[in-house]
Amino acid sequence: MGTGTDDAEADTWIMHPHAMTLAREAGTAKRSYTINMPQMALSGLGESWLSKEVGDIHWGMITGFLGKPSRDIVDADGHRLYATFARLVLEITPDLTGFAENAPLEIASRLSRYGESYFFAHHDVASSGARGRAQTMSTFAKHGLRGQNNALVKGSPVIPDPDLVPSLDVFPEFGAEYRAARGVETKDAIFECTYEIQPVHDVNGVGLLYFAAYPAIFDLCTAQYEGRTFLTDHATVSKDVRFLGNADPQDTLVFRLHSRTEKGATVHHVGSLWRKTDGRRIAEIESVKRRL
């Protein structure tokens, strides 16, 4: 890793499948891309790709901080710990269609932590025709006695060098807002439908419902309410996902749309996802899309 100085000799370039990552010091990352078809969707930057990418950067900074690959992260008792996102926020100006094919794209990220379990990352996203930011919050979890995804419990990793990443003295507002959302629950809905989890698309490599699948499931269910052309006629301006639980690959989810409001050319939806088997809420999601 680099020392954090401005000297070019202190920079460390890390190869990535579709980008170069420049790491200047622990807890930071910078990736540069050319926007091509793998990064695109619906004539703009793909929301799913962007969500996965900032998630990968987030975890890359954490594994760098801990000094080991994700598969080797364990607690003090040697139990395997899993990556668990608590919140994801995307905010784009003007919207995702502003990121054009073959345009340059850069994501610059920095990591901080609160205690041993909570990690926060801020990602600046910039291109020639649009820019934005993403914020990610994560903790760690391990399987409980039942070994099922609906019985995950919190865990804390072994931290070899606590001083490598800034430690926050106060739990940040971004996290406090998440905690407040956990305590507010409503089943009132203007629309409701079910969604059967598609393991090949929605489940990650360790058998958990992938964090980047939640916003995609939300959009697919919202389109059932709005009509199938809604997603092609609108582009994402912002998405706020608060992750409250997980699900097994064979589970069916219940989507509830709580509100829909319009302001000018934008449409704001607030909804939630629930496990059908036990009625447990697993996500609260807010979305703003702009009419094209």
Side-chain angles (χ1 to χ4, degrees), residues 52-225:
K52 293 176 182 179
E53 195 68 10
V54 298
D56 185 54
I57 294 171
H58 180 108
W59 282 110
M61 292 190 292
I62 290 177
T63 56
F65 167 58
L66 297 178
K68 58 183 63 180
S70 58
R71 66 177 178 271
D72 293 335
I73 297 177
V74 296
D75 64 12
D77 296 321
H79 297 129
R80 168 76 188 271
L81 296 179
Y82 297 96
T84 305
F85 279 94
R87 190 177 182 189
L88 164 69
V89 169
L90 303 176
E91 297 173 311
I92 306 298
T93 303
D95 57 54
L96 285 174
T97 61
F99 295 89
E101 182 180 0
N102 302 145
L105 173 68
E106 183 177 276
I107 304 177
S109 308
R110 59 186 183 274
L111 183 73
S112 60
R113 66 183 179 90
Y114 179 80
E116 297 177 340
S117 297
Y118 288 99
F119 288 83
F120 301 86
H122 184 102
H123 315 265
D124 291 313
V125 183
S127 186
S128 53
R131 62 180 51 250
R133 66 170 186 163
Q135 295 182 82
T136 46
M137 169 186 174
S138 70
T139 184
F140 291 93
K142 57 186 176 181
H143 280 117
L145 294 177
R146 289 179 290 168
Q148 296 174 325
N149 293 348
N150 59 6
L152 299 176
V153 295
K154 289 184 178 180
S156 298
V158 177
I159 298 179
D161 189 348
D163 296 328
L164 284 178
V165 164
S167 179
L168 305 173
D169 294 328
V170 178
F171 198 65
E173 183 179 0
F174 188 72
E177 292 170 347
Y178 166 79
R179 285 180 170 176
R182 291 187 69 95
V184 179
E185 182 176 300
T186 178
K187 292 186 178 181
D188 295 339
I190 60 176
F191 174 75
E192 182 175 307
C193 68
T194 59
Y195 177 87
E196 292 186 6
I197 292 176
Q198 305 298 308
V200 69
H201 296 293
D202 303 332
V203 175
N204 66 15
V206 294
L208 297 169
L209 183 60
Y210 192 31
F211 87 100
Y214 288 66
I217 292 169
F218 177 90
D219 280 354
L220 290 171
C221 292
T222 300
Q224 290 194 43
Y225 174 77

